[in-house]
Amino acid sequence: MRLLGSVKNLRILMASIGKSLPNIGWIFLLLMFFNVIYTVIGTLLFAGDFPELFGRLHLSFYTMIELMTLEGWNDTARVVMTEYPYAWIFFLSYIAITANILLNAVAGVIVDCIMSPGTEESKEREIDMIARQDEMAKNIERLEAKIDELTKRL
């Protein structure tokens, strides 16, 4: 734990991951929503011919999790497509939604949270720089007024 506190970059990384957990939870909830929908559809469509994969809801859910992680999805899809040639629509839509879109959203949320401390620091620097520029502009105006006053005396 002392190592986490002493290394600044590691501390920023851990804080960013902690900050991203609520958004990851919402993505997980959305992912489970899609899993349940596709589990029910898969059970209704394929349970009769493939009871080992889609025979009951818990088996279908496990199969859908395997498909989401892309673990042997082509074997499962090929077996089912021997009986249902248009099952590719079911499998590819599921994989496109879960594996590609939603799991990449998790990576995007984490990267966004990791990048936000840098942007917060740069915003603070920018605000600081604007304040300095305003102060310099006021100093220049005062100098110009003094120069005008001195040139009038001459």
Side-chain angles (χ1 to χ4, degrees), residues 9-20 24 106-121:
N9 290 338
L10 194 54
R11 191 173 56 239
I12 290 171
L13 181 65
M14 294 305 293
S16 299
I17 290 173
K19 200 182 339 174
S20 68
I24 290 174
V106 171
V109 164
I110 291 173
V111 167
D112 184 49
C113 286
I114 288 173
M115 296 302 290
S116 66
T119 37
E120 289 173 8
E121 288 176 10

PDB file of all heavy atoms in Angstrom, residues 9-20 24 106-121:
ATOM      1  N   ASN A   9       2.392   8.240 -10.505  1.00  0.00           N
ATOM      2  CA  ASN A   9       1.662   7.711 -11.663  1.00  0.00           C
ATOM      3  C   ASN A   9       0.796   6.515 -11.297  1.00  0.00           C
ATOM      4  O   ASN A   9      -0.316   6.368 -11.804  1.00  0.00           O
ATOM      5  CB  ASN A   9       2.633   7.337 -12.781  1.00  0.00           C
ATOM      6  CG  ASN A   9       3.259   8.539 -13.421  1.00  0.00           C
ATOM      7  OD1 ASN A   9       2.715   9.650 -13.357  1.00  0.00           O
ATOM      8  ND2 ASN A   9       4.415   8.351 -14.037  1.00  0.00           N
ATOM      9  N   LEU A  10       1.289   5.673 -10.417  1.00  0.00           N
ATOM     10  CA  LEU A  10       0.510   4.522  -9.962  1.00  0.00           C
ATOM     11  C   LEU A  10      -0.686   4.975  -9.141  1.00  0.00           C
ATOM     12  O   LEU A  10      -1.790   4.428  -9.268  1.00  0.00           O
ATOM     13  CB  LEU A  10       1.402   3.585  -9.144  1.00  0.00           C
ATOM     14  CG  LEU A  10       0.883   2.192  -8.855  1.00  0.00           C
ATOM     15  CD1 LEU A  10       0.495   1.480 -10.137  1.00  0.00           C
ATOM     16  CD2 LEU A  10       1.933   1.394  -8.122  1.00  0.00           C
ATOM     17  N   ARG A  11      -0.492   6.012  -8.335  1.00  0.00           N
ATOM     18  CA  ARG A  11      -1.584   6.575  -7.542  1.00  0.00           C
ATOM     19  C   ARG A  11      -2.659   7.170  -8.450  1.00  0.00           C
ATOM     20  O   ARG A  11      -3.852   6.965  -8.237  1.00  0.00           O
ATOM     21  CB  ARG A  11      -1.019   7.627  -6.591  1.00  0.00           C
ATOM     22  CG  ARG A  11      -1.983   8.100  -5.539  1.00  0.00           C
ATOM     23  CD  ARG A  11      -1.331   9.021  -4.520  1.00  0.00           C
ATOM     24  NE  ARG A  11      -0.695  10.178  -5.152  1.00  0.00           N
ATOM     25  CZ  ARG A  11       0.575  10.486  -5.051  1.00  0.00           C
ATOM     26  NH1 ARG A  11       1.389   9.728  -4.345  1.00  0.00           N
ATOM     27  NH2 ARG A  11       1.070  11.553  -5.636  1.00  0.00           N
ATOM     28  N   ILE A  12      -2.235   7.879  -9.495  1.00  0.00           N
ATOM     29  CA  ILE A  12      -3.191   8.451 -10.455  1.00  0.00           C
ATOM     30  C   ILE A  12      -3.951   7.345 -11.174  1.00  0.00           C
ATOM     31  O   ILE A  12      -5.172   7.423 -11.353  1.00  0.00           O
ATOM     32  CB  ILE A  12      -2.454   9.359 -11.463  1.00  0.00           C
ATOM     33  CG1 ILE A  12      -1.964  10.620 -10.768  1.00  0.00           C
ATOM     34  CG2 ILE A  12      -3.346   9.711 -12.643  1.00  0.00           C
ATOM     35  CD1 ILE A  12      -1.052  11.475 -11.628  1.00  0.00           C
ATOM     36  N   LEU A  13      -3.249   6.286 -11.568  1.00  0.00           N
ATOM     37  CA  LEU A  13      -3.886   5.165 -12.247  1.00  0.00           C
ATOM     38  C   LEU A  13      -4.929   4.496 -11.365  1.00  0.00           C
ATOM     39  O   LEU A  13      -6.055   4.228 -11.806  1.00  0.00           O
ATOM     40  CB  LEU A  13      -2.821   4.152 -12.690  1.00  0.00           C
ATOM     41  CG  LEU A  13      -3.327   2.927 -13.436  1.00  0.00           C
ATOM     42  CD1 LEU A  13      -3.938   3.331 -14.765  1.00  0.00           C
ATOM     43  CD2 LEU A  13      -2.191   1.953 -13.653  1.00  0.00           C
ATOM     44  N   MET A  14      -4.591   4.223 -10.119  1.00  0.00           N
ATOM     45  CA  MET A  14      -5.536   3.575  -9.199  1.00  0.00           C
ATOM     46  C   MET A  14      -6.738   4.482  -8.920  1.00  0.00           C
ATOM     47  O   MET A  14      -7.872   4.019  -8.853  1.00  0.00           O
ATOM     48  CB  MET A  14      -4.833   3.201  -7.889  1.00  0.00           C
ATOM     49  CG  MET A  14      -3.776   2.128  -8.052  1.00  0.00           C
ATOM     50  SD  MET A  14      -4.383   0.619  -8.826  1.00  0.00           S
ATOM     51  CE  MET A  14      -5.472   0.034  -7.568  1.00  0.00           C
ATOM     52  N   ALA A  15      -6.493   5.767  -8.764  1.00  0.00           N
ATOM     53  CA  ALA A  15      -7.598   6.704  -8.536  1.00  0.00           C
ATOM     54  C   ALA A  15      -8.507   6.777  -9.760  1.00  0.00           C
ATOM     55  O   ALA A  15      -9.736   6.843  -9.627  1.00  0.00           O
ATOM     56  CB  ALA A  15      -7.050   8.090  -8.200  1.00  0.00           C
ATOM     57  N   SER A  16      -7.927   6.729 -10.941  1.00  0.00           N
ATOM     58  CA  SER A  16      -8.720   6.776 -12.166  1.00  0.00           C
ATOM     59  C   SER A  16      -9.583   5.533 -12.318  1.00  0.00           C
ATOM     60  O   SER A  16     -10.749   5.620 -12.703  1.00  0.00           O
ATOM     61  CB  SER A  16      -7.808   6.912 -13.377  1.00  0.00           C
ATOM     62  OG  SER A  16      -7.071   8.097 -13.301  1.00  0.00           O
ATOM     63  N   ILE A  17      -9.024   4.387 -12.023  1.00  0.00           N
ATOM     64  CA  ILE A  17      -9.806   3.148 -12.106  1.00  0.00           C
ATOM     65  C   ILE A  17     -10.925   3.178 -11.079  1.00  0.00           C
ATOM     66  O   ILE A  17     -12.062   2.788 -11.361  1.00  0.00           O
ATOM     67  CB  ILE A  17      -8.896   1.914 -11.939  1.00  0.00           C
ATOM     68  CG1 ILE A  17      -8.005   1.764 -13.173  1.00  0.00           C
ATOM     69  CG2 ILE A  17      -9.711   0.651 -11.720  1.00  0.00           C
ATOM     70  CD1 ILE A  17      -6.947   0.699 -13.065  1.00  0.00           C
ATOM     71  N   GLY A  18     -10.632   3.660  -9.882  1.00  0.00           N
ATOM     72  CA  GLY A  18     -11.678   3.782  -8.860  1.00  0.00           C
ATOM     73  C   GLY A  18     -12.775   4.744  -9.282  1.00  0.00           C
ATOM     74  O   GLY A  18     -13.957   4.512  -9.034  1.00  0.00           O
ATOM     75  N   LYS A  19     -12.381   5.837  -9.955  1.00  0.00           N
ATOM     76  CA  LYS A  19     -13.355   6.820 -10.415  1.00  0.00           C
ATOM     77  C   LYS A  19     -14.220   6.268 -11.546  1.00  0.00           C
ATOM     78  O   LYS A  19     -15.366   6.685 -11.727  1.00  0.00           O
ATOM     79  CB  LYS A  19     -12.617   8.069 -10.900  1.00  0.00           C
ATOM     80  CG  LYS A  19     -13.482   9.290 -10.950  1.00  0.00           C
ATOM     81  CD  LYS A  19     -12.798  10.545 -11.482  1.00  0.00           C
ATOM     82  CE  LYS A  19     -11.310  10.584 -11.424  1.00  0.00           C
ATOM     83  NZ  LYS A  19     -10.746  11.770 -12.085  1.00  0.00           N
ATOM     84  N   SER A  20     -13.689   5.321 -12.317  1.00  0.00           N
ATOM     85  CA  SER A  20     -14.441   4.776 -13.450  1.00  0.00           C
ATOM     86  C   SER A  20     -15.384   3.641 -13.052  1.00  0.00           C
ATOM     87  O   SER A  20     -16.209   3.223 -13.867  1.00  0.00           O
ATOM     88  CB  SER A  20     -13.475   4.282 -14.524  1.00  0.00           C
ATOM     89  OG  SER A  20     -12.768   3.148 -14.080  1.00  0.00           O
ATOM     90  N   ILE A  24     -18.479   1.801 -15.186  1.00  0.00           N
ATOM     91  CA  ILE A  24     -18.294   0.399 -15.565  1.00  0.00           C
ATOM     92  C   ILE A  24     -19.466  -0.432 -15.049  1.00  0.00           C
ATOM     93  O   ILE A  24     -19.927  -1.362 -15.713  1.00  0.00           O
ATOM     94  CB  ILE A  24     -16.944  -0.139 -15.049  1.00  0.00           C
ATOM     95  CG1 ILE A  24     -15.806   0.519 -15.819  1.00  0.00           C
ATOM     96  CG2 ILE A  24     -16.864  -1.650 -15.163  1.00  0.00           C
ATOM     97  CD1 ILE A  24     -14.426   0.187 -15.312  1.00  0.00           C
ATOM     98  N   VAL A 106     -16.101  -0.241 -21.994  1.00  0.00           N
ATOM     99  CA  VAL A 106     -15.396  -0.347 -20.706  1.00  0.00           C
ATOM    100  C   VAL A 106     -13.984   0.216 -20.845  1.00  0.00           C
ATOM    101  O   VAL A 106     -13.535   1.014 -20.017  1.00  0.00           O
ATOM    102  CB  VAL A 106     -15.362  -1.813 -20.210  1.00  0.00           C
ATOM    103  CG1 VAL A 106     -14.450  -1.961 -19.011  1.00  0.00           C
ATOM    104  CG2 VAL A 106     -16.759  -2.294 -19.883  1.00  0.00           C
ATOM    105  N   ALA A 107     -13.299  -0.181 -21.905  1.00  0.00           N
ATOM    106  CA  ALA A 107     -11.943   0.339 -22.127  1.00  0.00           C
ATOM    107  C   ALA A 107     -11.980   1.854 -22.323  1.00  0.00           C
ATOM    108  O   ALA A 107     -11.125   2.570 -21.797  1.00  0.00           O
ATOM    109  CB  ALA A 107     -11.318  -0.342 -23.338  1.00  0.00           C
ATOM    110  N   GLY A 108     -12.977   2.341 -23.031  1.00  0.00           N
ATOM    111  CA  GLY A 108     -13.097   3.778 -23.249  1.00  0.00           C
ATOM    112  C   GLY A 108     -13.331   4.551 -21.966  1.00  0.00           C
ATOM    113  O   GLY A 108     -12.762   5.630 -21.766  1.00  0.00           O
ATOM    114  N   VAL A 109     -14.154   4.004 -21.077  1.00  0.00           N
ATOM    115  CA  VAL A 109     -14.435   4.671 -19.802  1.00  0.00           C
ATOM    116  C   VAL A 109     -13.164   4.734 -18.958  1.00  0.00           C
ATOM    117  O   VAL A 109     -12.851   5.771 -18.363  1.00  0.00           O
ATOM    118  CB  VAL A 109     -15.573   3.938 -19.040  1.00  0.00           C
ATOM    119  CG1 VAL A 109     -15.628   4.354 -17.585  1.00  0.00           C
ATOM    120  CG2 VAL A 109     -16.898   4.195 -19.723  1.00  0.00           C
ATOM    121  N   ILE A 110     -12.416   3.650 -18.918  1.00  0.00           N
ATOM    122  CA  ILE A 110     -11.185   3.627 -18.124  1.00  0.00           C
ATOM    123  C   ILE A 110     -10.160   4.608 -18.699  1.00  0.00           C
ATOM    124  O   ILE A 110      -9.538   5.381 -17.966  1.00  0.00           O
ATOM    125  CB  ILE A 110     -10.608   2.199 -18.042  1.00  0.00           C
ATOM    126  CG1 ILE A 110     -11.536   1.322 -17.199  1.00  0.00           C
ATOM    127  CG2 ILE A 110      -9.204   2.209 -17.447  1.00  0.00           C
ATOM    128  CD1 ILE A 110     -11.162  -0.134 -17.177  1.00  0.00           C
ATOM    129  N   VAL A 111     -10.011   4.615 -20.015  1.00  0.00           N
ATOM    130  CA  VAL A 111      -9.057   5.545 -20.636  1.00  0.00           C
ATOM    131  C   VAL A 111      -9.480   6.987 -20.382  1.00  0.00           C
ATOM    132  O   VAL A 111      -8.643   7.841 -20.079  1.00  0.00           O
ATOM    133  CB  VAL A 111      -8.939   5.261 -22.152  1.00  0.00           C
ATOM    134  CG1 VAL A 111      -8.224   6.383 -22.880  1.00  0.00           C
ATOM    135  CG2 VAL A 111      -8.212   3.957 -22.381  1.00  0.00           C
ATOM    136  N   ASP A 112     -10.779   7.264 -20.464  1.00  0.00           N
ATOM    137  CA  ASP A 112     -11.266   8.625 -20.210  1.00  0.00           C
ATOM    138  C   ASP A 112     -10.952   9.053 -18.780  1.00  0.00           C
ATOM    139  O   ASP A 112     -10.521  10.182 -18.552  1.00  0.00           O
ATOM    140  CB  ASP A 112     -12.763   8.693 -20.469  1.00  0.00           C
ATOM    141  CG  ASP A 112     -13.309  10.087 -20.310  1.00  0.00           C
ATOM    142  OD1 ASP A 112     -12.716  11.021 -20.896  1.00  0.00           O
ATOM    143  OD2 ASP A 112     -14.324  10.247 -19.596  1.00  0.00           O
ATOM    144  N   CYS A 113     -11.164   8.162 -17.836  1.00  0.00           N
ATOM    145  CA  CYS A 113     -10.868   8.504 -16.438  1.00  0.00           C
ATOM    146  C   CYS A 113      -9.375   8.644 -16.193  1.00  0.00           C
ATOM    147  O   CYS A 113      -8.958   9.453 -15.369  1.00  0.00           O
ATOM    148  CB  CYS A 113     -11.476   7.464 -15.500  1.00  0.00           C
ATOM    149  SG  CYS A 113     -13.265   7.619 -15.364  1.00  0.00           S
ATOM    150  N   ILE A 114      -8.567   7.881 -16.895  1.00  0.00           N
ATOM    151  CA  ILE A 114      -7.123   8.003 -16.732  1.00  0.00           C
ATOM    152  C   ILE A 114      -6.636   9.326 -17.317  1.00  0.00           C
ATOM    153  O   ILE A 114      -5.767   9.989 -16.762  1.00  0.00           O
ATOM    154  CB  ILE A 114      -6.386   6.810 -17.393  1.00  0.00           C
ATOM    155  CG1 ILE A 114      -6.617   5.555 -16.555  1.00  0.00           C
ATOM    156  CG2 ILE A 114      -4.904   7.090 -17.541  1.00  0.00           C
ATOM    157  CD1 ILE A 114      -6.096   4.289 -17.180  1.00  0.00           C
ATOM    158  N   MET A 115      -7.232   9.739 -18.420  1.00  0.00           N
ATOM    159  CA  MET A 115      -6.813  10.984 -19.072  1.00  0.00           C
ATOM    160  C   MET A 115      -7.348  12.222 -18.364  1.00  0.00           C
ATOM    161  O   MET A 115      -6.776  13.295 -18.502  1.00  0.00           O
ATOM    162  CB  MET A 115      -7.282  11.000 -20.530  1.00  0.00           C
ATOM    163  CG  MET A 115      -6.668   9.923 -21.379  1.00  0.00           C
ATOM    164  SD  MET A 115      -4.879   9.970 -21.427  1.00  0.00           S
ATOM    165  CE  MET A 115      -4.631  11.440 -22.379  1.00  0.00           C
ATOM    166  N   SER A 116      -8.419  12.104 -17.600  1.00  0.00           N
ATOM    167  CA  SER A 116      -9.028  13.291 -16.989  1.00  0.00           C
ATOM    168  C   SER A 116      -8.134  13.998 -15.965  1.00  0.00           C
ATOM    169  O   SER A 116      -8.180  15.209 -15.900  1.00  0.00           O
ATOM    170  CB  SER A 116     -10.385  12.952 -16.375  1.00  0.00           C
ATOM    171  OG  SER A 116     -10.249  12.073 -15.301  1.00  0.00           O
ATOM    172  N   PRO A 117      -7.306  13.317 -15.156  1.00  0.00           N
ATOM    173  CA  PRO A 117      -6.436  14.093 -14.264  1.00  0.00           C
ATOM    174  C   PRO A 117      -5.499  15.012 -15.032  1.00  0.00           C
ATOM    175  O   PRO A 117      -5.251  16.140 -14.632  1.00  0.00           O
ATOM    176  CB  PRO A 117      -5.648  13.040 -13.487  1.00  0.00           C
ATOM    177  CG  PRO A 117      -6.469  11.824 -13.535  1.00  0.00           C
ATOM    178  CD  PRO A 117      -7.192  11.893 -14.857  1.00  0.00           C
ATOM    179  N   GLY A 118      -4.989  14.558 -16.165  1.00  0.00           N
ATOM    180  CA  GLY A 118      -4.129  15.398 -16.983  1.00  0.00           C
ATOM    181  C   GLY A 118      -4.874  16.602 -17.523  1.00  0.00           C
ATOM    182  O   GLY A 118      -4.360  17.710 -17.561  1.00  0.00           O
ATOM    183  N   THR A 119      -6.123  16.399 -17.927  1.00  0.00           N
ATOM    184  CA  THR A 119      -6.888  17.528 -18.450  1.00  0.00           C
ATOM    185  C   THR A 119      -7.245  18.487 -17.336  1.00  0.00           C
ATOM    186  O   THR A 119      -7.299  19.689 -17.566  1.00  0.00           O
ATOM    187  CB  THR A 119      -8.160  17.055 -19.165  1.00  0.00           C
ATOM    188  OG1 THR A 119      -8.705  15.944 -18.497  1.00  0.00           O
ATOM    189  CG2 THR A 119      -7.925  16.722 -20.587  1.00  0.00           C
ATOM    190  N   GLU A 120      -7.497  17.989 -16.126  1.00  0.00           N
ATOM    191  CA  GLU A 120      -7.790  18.880 -15.011  1.00  0.00           C
ATOM    192  C   GLU A 120      -6.574  19.745 -14.686  1.00  0.00           C
ATOM    193  O   GLU A 120      -6.696  20.951 -14.457  1.00  0.00           O
ATOM    194  CB  GLU A 120      -8.215  18.082 -13.783  1.00  0.00           C
ATOM    195  CG  GLU A 120      -9.596  17.463 -13.917  1.00  0.00           C
ATOM    196  CD  GLU A 120      -9.935  16.525 -12.769  1.00  0.00           C
ATOM    197  OE1 GLU A 120      -9.164  16.472 -11.794  1.00  0.00           O
ATOM    198  OE2 GLU A 120     -10.962  15.848 -12.863  1.00  0.00           O
ATOM    199  N   GLU A 121      -5.391  19.132 -14.711  1.00  0.00           N
ATOM    200  CA  GLU A 121      -4.166  19.891 -14.464  1.00  0.00           C
ATOM    201  C   GLU A 121      -3.946  20.916 -15.566  1.00  0.00           C
ATOM    202  O   GLU A 121      -3.555  22.050 -15.299  1.00  0.00           O
ATOM    203  CB  GLU A 121      -2.965  18.950 -14.373  1.00  0.00           C
ATOM    204  CG  GLU A 121      -2.920  18.120 -13.117  1.00  0.00           C
ATOM    205  CD  GLU A 121      -1.758  17.142 -13.121  1.00  0.00           C
ATOM    206  OE1 GLU A 121      -0.884  17.248 -14.006  1.00  0.00           O
ATOM    207  OE2 GLU A 121      -1.730  16.278 -12.247  1.00  0.00           O
TER     208      GLU A 121
END
